[in-house]
Amino acid sequence: MRFIVILALHVALFASSYNFDEYKFVKAVSTEFKNSGHIDVQKDKTVIVYSEPSYKKIVKTDTNVTIEDSSKKLYHLKGRANFYAKTFIGAMTRLGDFSKLKGSSDFDIQKDGNTYFVAFKGDLADQITKAEVYVKDSKVLNFKMFMPNGDTIKIVKK
């Protein structure tokens, strides 16, 4: 019984997961794409599984990002692609968790009502210029990231 309590406490402290809808606007083609999936943030890795419109699994560890497509073929990102994917997924996990949103040295935050306006610094600012995070009762309900090329990604938690 003690083991179960310790395991449950460990999961509650170091992991979070949720289902989401992702709305990606690509400015170059003036089109919005919708994906649905699940994110599981653990102490040592983040797993994102897209279920609709097609299956894709992305696993980020401290050193690597691996992508598995619907045919179960694995792609291991290298070099700049690996660096930027890790940075981007790291930003996503922090924006989606209210406790990690506050107190990060990677961005400045201003609050207006239930919306937090995030301005990124350093390497993150090269990928994501700003973000808007909507919070209710200290829980992030959705967030939208703005890219330098005019693209946006909005994550809506289900």
Side-chain angles (χ1 to χ4, degrees):
M1 180 67 177
R2 182 183 300 164
F3 174 74
I4 293 172
V5 171
I6 292 171
L7 181 62
L9 182 61
H10 177 77
V11 169
L13 289 174
F14 296 111
S16 64
S17 66
Y18 57 88
N19 294 320
F20 65 90
D21 286 331
E22 174 187 276
Y23 300 91
K24 182 175 184 177
F25 175 75
V26 180
K27 184 180 178 185
V29 292
S30 296
T31 304
E32 184 174 80
F33 302 93
K34 180 185 176 197
N35 293 307
S36 296
H38 181 83
I39 186 167
D40 185 15
V41 181
Q42 302 171 13
K43 183 179 177 183
D44 58 344
K45 69 181 175 181
T46 300
V47 179
I48 302 170
V49 178
Y50 290 99
S51 54
E52 293 178 26
S54 61
Y55 174 87
K56 182 191 304 182
K57 180 178 180 180
I58 302 169
V59 178
K60 175 204 159 287
T61 64
D62 288 337
T63 56
N64 297 316
V65 175
T66 304
I67 301 172
E68 177 183 286
D69 66 14
S70 59
S71 64
K72 303 294 183 194
K73 185 172 181 179
L74 290 177
Y75 302 90
H76 303 280
L77 299 184
K78 296 180 182 178
R80 290 179 60 144
N82 188 55
F83 171 77
Y84 285 120
K86 286 188 331 186
T87 304
F88 186 79
I89 293 169
M92 270 183 60
T93 58
R94 285 183 281 167
L95 291 174
D97 183 343
F98 185 73
S99 67
K100 293 179 183 175
L101 182 62
K102 291 187 164 194
S104 176
S105 62
D106 291 329
F107 40 80
D108 291 323
I109 300 176
Q110 292 183 342
K111 183 181 181 209
D112 184 10
N114 289 333
T115 304
Y116 288 80
F117 298 94
V118 180
F120 291 92
K121 300 178 185 178
D123 290 334
L124 281 173
D126 293 340
Q127 292 184 76
I128 309 167
T129 56
K130 64 182 180 175
E132 295 174 1
V133 182
Y134 182 73
V135 176
K136 186 173 182 185
D137 299 327
S138 297
K139 294 188 188 268
V140 174
L141 299 181
N142 66 67
F143 57 92
K144 186 174 185 177
M145 299 176 287
F146 298 82
M147 311 318 153
N149 64 357
D151 292 359
T152 61
I153 296 177
K154 183 174 184 178
I155 303 292
V156 179
K157 293 183 175 184
K158 292 184 183 180

